Amino acid sequence: TRVLGVKDSLVVEEGGAIWNVLGGSVALQGSATQSSATFTTQAQFDNSTKIATTAFVQRSAGSYRGVEGTSGGFTLTNSDIGRAIYLASGATLTLPTPPSLGCTYGSAITVWAMGSICYLTPGTGATIQGVDGTNIPAGTHYSIGKGQFREFVAFNSGIWQEVANNQLPLNQLWS
């Protein structure tokens, strides 16, 4: 039995007592499901064998998922993963441990200082590891100057590893 969806097609030929399916969209397994106009986008860190929507693929393809601007104190949440986060003058961003956010290894955030000095601080049990390997433990601050950015990747259970920044003088970036 084949169920035809709204835009399905079916090519058949008579084969005596039965009809043989030769082609058309219903010849594909699950075609009635595939003709649906909308599908459920899986959770951000879903690593199963479920079908991925284009929204899920776009979110995981390296593009920023969105932009978040903040001033004052701000604690990173699961919905901020994959975003570009802009900090106003004097703002402090707290980075909890990646597992507490449901992050998988390789989840990333990018932080820009839009105002004068801004700060990052590791949450309880978290460590920020600078691009040079320096650990910034909980209870301390990591400064970002105006116009600078930092990119961090969830590295392991409690570490946000800095993988890129623009702290170097311009003449050192292109030498």
Side-chain angles (χ1 to χ4, degrees):
T1 302
R2 296 283 184 188
V3 177
L4 291 166
V6 173
K7 294 184 179 179
D8 283 340
S9 62
L10 176 64
V11 178
V12 295
E13 76 174 352
E14 184 180 359
I18 61 169
W19 289 88
N20 295 314
V21 176
L22 297 179
S25 62
V26 294
L28 301 170
Q29 182 180 6
S31 63
T33 302
Q34 294 169 7
S35 66
S36 174
T38 59
F39 294 96
T40 302
T41 299
Q42 304 306 327
Q44 184 168 355
F45 302 111
D46 189 329
N47 195 21
S48 69
T49 57
K50 296 175 187 170
I51 293 174
T53 62
T54 55
F56 183 89
V57 172
Q58 177 65 30
R59 197 171 56 205
S60 65
S63 297
Y64 290 119
R65 226 173 44 75
V67 176
E68 178 76 31
T70 186
S71 59
F74 177 71
T75 299
L76 191 74
T77 66
N78 176 282
S79 64
D80 298 315
I81 302 302
R83 290 182 187 247
I85 301 171
Y86 291 91
L87 300 177
S89 294
T92 299
L93 173 63
T94 301
L95 302 178
T97 63
S100 72
L101 300 175
C103 294
T104 57
Y105 178 80
S107 298
I109 60 165
T110 300
V111 181
W112 273 277
M114 295 304 289
S116 55
I117 300 292
C118 301
Y119 305 96
L120 297 176
T121 187
T124 303
T127 298
I128 296 172
Q129 190 170 67
V131 75
D132 64 354
T134 303
N135 287 336
I136 294 93
T140 58
H141 292 293
Y142 185 48
S143 301
I144 303 176
K146 183 177 182 177
Q148 294 182 344
F149 79 89
R150 303 286 186 272
E151 185 173 10
F152 295 94
V153 170
F155 187 71
N156 70 22
S157 61
I159 293 179
W160 285 99
Q161 174 68 53
E162 181 183 18
V163 294
N165 68 52
N166 66 339
Q167 188 171 350
L168 293 173
L170 291 178
N171 64 347
Q172 290 183 21
L173 288 175
W174 292 286
S175 60

